[in-house]
């Protein structure tokens, strides 16, 4: 792949976007268009049909190894968003996220893909208190099976770099929605514009090895320090401040509520699932 230029005019031949039917996938379908001649869109769920020669739509279950190998063949980079994105019983997480991320990297190795952007999550470090400030080297404290699967995915990314030279940017996405929905998201919010910019940097910056970056906008009260990912040159343009009045009009959150204590918020109090 051609990663020699950092300009916005950089264009790969084909980028694979997994999770293309999901909330962020739908947003990125349009926004990733300038970065590749062809965007291969994939999901287990239905995706709106291809809108022209610049798009390919491929249905695929990420837990199906042979299908993932076919999916990845011919791609120059992978933006891996597919998987279960909330806390669920382990067996569901195992198939979509754990087998899924392994299948994606194995396929990348087999088919010579050298760059992956992995949608990791703040739930990798969710049991840290909101009073703490973390950088990429902070101890991981996953807040559930979902967070554990993302932590595994980061380890897979590191392994495939160390062993095979496949480079990854793992983006620990905070909360990427049109606007912050609650007080916690005032710290974790990542606008779609900033997400797109971060993915662009993650695709085109040369020599990223395995970089971990927190996906957040330029919010006022942040918990995360991205100095270890400065080489990406990511400069967020948006801030949750513009929504402060609206969010603070909501009823206050009790100090004992996990949403007020932990970086992972309510995820820290989900489950157990295995007692039925
Ligand atoms: N939106 C956020 O704020 C946020 C925060 C942290 C991390 N993330 C991560 O970013 C990614 C995208 O998030 P989202 O909000 O769009 O989630 P989403 O749930 O809307 O989309 C995930 C997509 O993955 C697909 N999927 C699930 N299992 C699959 C399987 N076995 N095979 C193929 N596809 C499968 C789903 O059908 C869905 O369309 C996810 O990996 C999520 O964990 C998102």
């Amino acid at each position: 792949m051609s990663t020699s230029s950092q300009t916005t005019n950089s264009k790969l031949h084909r980028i694979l976007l997994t999770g293309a039917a999901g909330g962020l996938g739908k947003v990125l379908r349009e926004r990733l268009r300038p970065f590749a001649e062809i965007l291969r869109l994939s999901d287990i769920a239905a995706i709106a049909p291809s809108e022209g020669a610049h798009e390919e739509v491929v249905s695929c279950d990420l837990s199906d190894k042979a299908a993932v190998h076919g999916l990845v063949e011919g791609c120059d980079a992978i933006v891996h968003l597919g998987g279960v994105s909330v806390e669920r019983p382990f067996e569901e997480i195992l198939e979509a996220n754990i087998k899924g991320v392994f299948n994606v990297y194995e396929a990348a190795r087999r088919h010579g893909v050298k760059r992956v952007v992995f949608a990791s999550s703040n739930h990798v470090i969710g049991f840290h208190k909101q009073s703490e400030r973390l950088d990429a080297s902070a101890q991981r404290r996953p807040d559930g099976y979902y967070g554990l699967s993302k932590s595994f995915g980061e380890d897979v990314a590191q392994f495939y770099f160390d062993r095979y030279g496949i480079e990854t940017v793992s983006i620990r996405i905070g909360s990427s929605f049109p606007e912050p929905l609650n007080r916690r998201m005032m710290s974790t919010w990542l606008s779609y514009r900033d997400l797109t910019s971060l993915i662009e940097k993650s695709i085109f910056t040369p020599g990223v090895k395995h970089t971990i970056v927190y996906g957040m906008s330029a919010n006022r009260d942040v918990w995360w320090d991205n100095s270890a990912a400065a080489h990406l040159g990511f400069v967020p343009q948006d801030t949750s401040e513009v929504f402060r009045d609206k969010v603070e009009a909501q009823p206050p959150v009790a100090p004992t509520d996990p949403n007020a204590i932990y970086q992972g918020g309510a995820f820290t109090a989900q489950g157990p699932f295995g007692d039925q």
Side-chain angles (χ1 to χ4, degrees), residues 18-26 42-45 60-63 80-86 95-97 118-123 146 150 171-177:
T18 70
L24 297 185
K26 283 182 187 140
S42 183
D43 206 292
I44 197 172
C60 179
D61 180 347
L62 290 164
S63 68
H80 182 42
L81 267 56
V84 174
S85 63
V86 291
E95 293 301 317
N97 294 20
F118 173 53
S120 186
S121 170
N122 69 89
H123 295 289
Y146 167 72
K150 294 295 187 181
I171 305 177
R172 290 182 179 167
I173 301 171
S175 307
S176 197
F177 300 101

Side-chain angles (χ1 to χ4, degrees), residues 200-219:
E200 181 185 11
K201 302 286 186 190
S202 301
I203 293 171
F204 293 109
T205 303
V208 295
K209 302 176 183 173
H210 176 219
T211 296
I212 293 172
V213 61
Y214 291 92
M216 59 180 169
S217 287
N219 306 326

